[in-house]
Structure formats: structure tokens, C-alpha cells
Amino acid sequence: MRRLRSSTVVLGGMGVLAATITACGSDPDRRCVDPLTREELPSYQCQSGGGGDDDSNGGTHRGSYYYGGSVSDRKVSGGSFDKTAVDTGGFGCSGTGGG
């Protein structure tokens, strides 16, 4: 039987570790959404924190970031405006929370 070199084993193990860390640490999907109607908005509507903040050009941002969930007919559901409340899932992760 052929023995694997230690460098092959180490590199393979590092690949598995990297994949696990990436999957667990990934951010949930983020969308710009009108908090009142839950309608998806263009991303520029959420810049500078959203939620009615004035931008440098005198415009108003009316959107807030919505994390996770899905979009149907431009309306979001199944996610949360609180990023920490959304389970990102992933290989080997144990998520807590919901939205």
C-alpha cells in the first residue's frame, strides 16, 4: 500500500478547514428594502445607513438593509432587518436564531 506524503495530508486538511471556516463565517444575503412596504429598492437607497438619512446631495435614503430571506414580486420575506438574527448555515455550523 502506498503511503501519502505528510505535505499532501497537511494540504488536504487545510483545504477542508478553509472550506468549513468560509461556510460558517459567510454573511447572509443583504438587500435594500423599504421597511414599511418590504419592497426591494435599488442599493443606493440604503447607503449611509438608510432609514431616512440625508445624503450629501440633499436626497433622502428610505431603505434599510434586510438580511436573508427571499424575494417574490419585489417583496421580501423570511429574513430580518437584524443581521445577527439570520442563520447563515453552512457545513458544520450550528446556527441559533431566526428572523
Side-chain angles (χ1 to χ4, degrees):
M1 181 180 253
R2 188 174 156 215
R3 289 184 53 175
L4 294 175
R5 292 184 179 182
S6 61
S7 61
T8 304
V9 174
V10 170
L11 289 176
M14 292 298 283
V16 171
L17 179 63
T20 303
I21 291 171
T22 302
C24 289
S26 62
D27 287 333
D29 292 339
R30 179 175 82 166
R31 298 172 176 88
C32 185
V33 172
D34 184 319
L36 299 177
T37 65
R38 298 219 172 193
E39 183 176 322
E40 191 172 25
L41 300 171
S43 61
Y44 68 85
Q45 289 287 335
C46 282
Q47 294 179 356
S48 299
D53 293 335
D54 290 334
D55 67 13
S56 60
N57 296 326
T60 301
H61 299 289
R62 65 184 184 129
S64 295
Y65 285 115
Y66 188 84
Y67 300 93
S70 60
V71 180
S72 178
D73 296 324
R74 295 191 55 191
K75 301 274 185 168
V76 295
S77 62
S80 175
F81 288 101
D82 180 7
K83 182 178 180 180
T84 61
V86 178
D87 179 15
T88 60
F91 177 75
C93 300
S94 59
T96 60

